[in-house]
Every structure is written in C-alpha cells, then in structure tokens.
Amino acid sequence: MCGRYALYGPQSRLREAFLLESCPEYFARYNIAPQSRVLVIRHPPGAGRVGQLVRWGLIPSWAKDPGIGARLNNARGETVAVKPAFRGSFARHRCLIPASGFYEWQAVAAGGKVRKQPWYVRPADPDGFFAFAGLLAAWKAPDGETIVTTCIVTTAANALMAPIHERMPAILRPEQYEAWLDPANHDTGALETMIGPCGSEAMCVSPVSPAINRGDVEGPHCIETVAVRSSPFE
C-alpha cells in the first residue's frame, strides 16, 4: 500500500525529469495524505505531458456517493484490470504521480506490544523522483461540479521493501512513461506487464520519526533519519 508520500525540490527539475509542457505551481510537501490535492502527470490527446492538481482518493464516474473516494486511495495491480472501481480508469485514464519518496510502516515488537515504525523510501538518485503508476477518474457532483481524482497502483514488495511491508507502489521506469500515459493505448494486457516491483537498487530506505503518523506534521524534518533499536537490514 501507500498511505503517505512526499514531493519537494525545484519545479524546474520535475519539469525536466518528466518532459512537462506545463505544470501548476505547487509547494514542497513532506507528508502528503489521502484526500489531499496532489500533482499528477497526464498526456491529453493532441498535447504534450502536463501536470494537474487533483484529489487523492478515486471516485469512479458511476459512484452515487463521493465518500467512496476515502476508501480508494490505492488499487492493487493484480486486479486493477477487472475491479469495477478501477477497470475503466485503467483502460482509458492513466497518469503518473511524481514523488520524492514515500513512507511505509513496519510492525515492530517492543516491550510486549507491537508498534509501527515508519520508514522513508527515496530514489537512489538523491535528485531523482519516483513515478508511481496512477489512475484518474472524473465524477460529476449533483451541482454540476466535476471532481477529478486519482489513486496509486500498488504491487508486491521488492527484496528491499519486504522486511518492512508486503506491498509498495508500482514505480514505472522512464522508458515506460509514454506507453502508460498514451490515451490511445487500450492494451490492458501490455499495461499489466508494467505493474510490478521495481529493482531494489533504485531506492534507499531509512527510519524516520513516528511523528509522521500525524497528518498535521509537515516539513523537511519528516524525512530526517532517526535511530531505531533494531533494524531489519542489520
């Protein structure tokens, strides 16, 4: 799964990394939670790649209650092509969700109790970005407002992530971006082959403060490494 992530760094670097023609202004954020406005990358028909701010938590176009979006932050890659909530978006409305890193929580036994130790996962390239595979949906409210939403496609953990959690975001490689974003690409079989754990060499992990558990905690200190009593990597 992916329940929190970060996006920071100069917009110029992000535009260069994803070859964006345009991108809205956004602020550095170190603790992005579901239901937030988040940046996605699309490739509209007849145009180049553009950034767009949308809500994290997919509301399918057919939904009666927009509250369903609070439960659809992630889509399992193994079933994304067949689940009613996701299959239409997977076939026709895909996006990239850029991230400077993401958080995952490891269950740790301490003092006879189980606590959750957060870890920050970032690209091996300190100036790089992850490109999460994402889906989009547009939902029309009764008052006529159109709400565009997104979710993150997830997959099984790679060898580096497995000691922390069994799931992780599906992270695409630059050579896959065009096929994933192409609005004319409806080959769901080929698209499914792109969903899988990225190589462990593409990322680094470090323990961070449990303060990240609070949704109102924000700032560069969120990603600072802290000491832990035991580590699965020792």
Side-chain angles (χ1 to χ4, degrees):
M1 63 174 293
C2 181
R4 302 282 179 87
Y5 71 97
L7 179 62
Y8 48 84
Q11 188 180 109
S12 59
R13 195 167 73 218
L14 183 125
R15 291 177 68 124
E16 180 180 359
F18 292 99
L19 305 177
L20 300 184
E21 288 193 0
S22 65
C23 185
E25 290 294 328
Y26 65 89
F27 298 100
R29 296 182 62 192
Y30 295 83
N31 189 10
I32 302 173
Q35 299 302 300
S36 299
R37 294 273 286 175
V38 300
L39 183 70
V40 302
I41 295 169
R42 301 174 52 234
H43 190 169
R49 297 178 192 171
V50 298
Q52 180 178 346
L53 293 172
V54 305
R55 185 190 297 176
W56 181 11
L58 195 86
I59 306 175
S61 60
W62 45 259
K64 302 297 184 183
D65 179 3
I68 192 175
R71 305 191 300 274
L72 300 179
N73 305 315
N74 296 159
R76 290 179 68 92
E78 295 87 344
T79 56
V80 72
V82 296
K83 287 285 188 179
F86 305 119
R87 63 191 180 195
S89 293
F90 180 60
R92 297 183 296 275
H93 305 297
R94 298 172 302 277
C95 66
L96 300 176
I97 302 176
S100 300
F102 65 93
Y103 300 93
E104 196 48 82
W105 282 259
Q106 177 198 25
V108 177
K113 299 180 180 180
V114 176
R115 66 178 180 86
K116 293 293 187 74
Q117 170 61 51
W119 293 76
Y120 183 59
V121 188
R122 63 192 186 281
D125 175 359
D127 293 326
F129 297 97
F130 288 137
F132 300 157
L135 307 179
L136 291 169
W139 183 80
K140 183 166 287 189
D143 64 3
E145 179 189 8
T146 297
I147 300 173
V148 182
T149 58
T150 190
C151 70
I152 296 172
V153 179
T154 67
T155 187
N158 61 22
L160 184 66
M161 285 295 300
I164 299 173
H165 197 276
E166 64 183 9
R167 305 290 294 177
M168 64 180 287
I171 297 171
L172 301 181
R173 303 186 303 275
E175 62 268 25
Q176 296 174 316
Y177 295 173
E178 193 59 35
W180 183 263
L181 291 174
D182 184 357
N185 181 6
H186 307 308
D187 186 348
T188 55
L191 291 164
E192 284 182 282
T193 66
M194 299 184 195
I195 301 172
C198 69
S200 297
E201 71 282 355
M203 55 177 56
C204 301
V205 300
S206 56
V208 294
S209 169
I212 193 68
N213 298 346
R214 291 171 44 195
D216 60 348
V217 172
E218 182 57 82
H221 62 279
C222 291
I223 64 172
E224 291 178 356
T225 302
V226 300
V228 294
R229 293 180 181 177
S230 61
S231 168
F233 307 105
E234 291 176 350

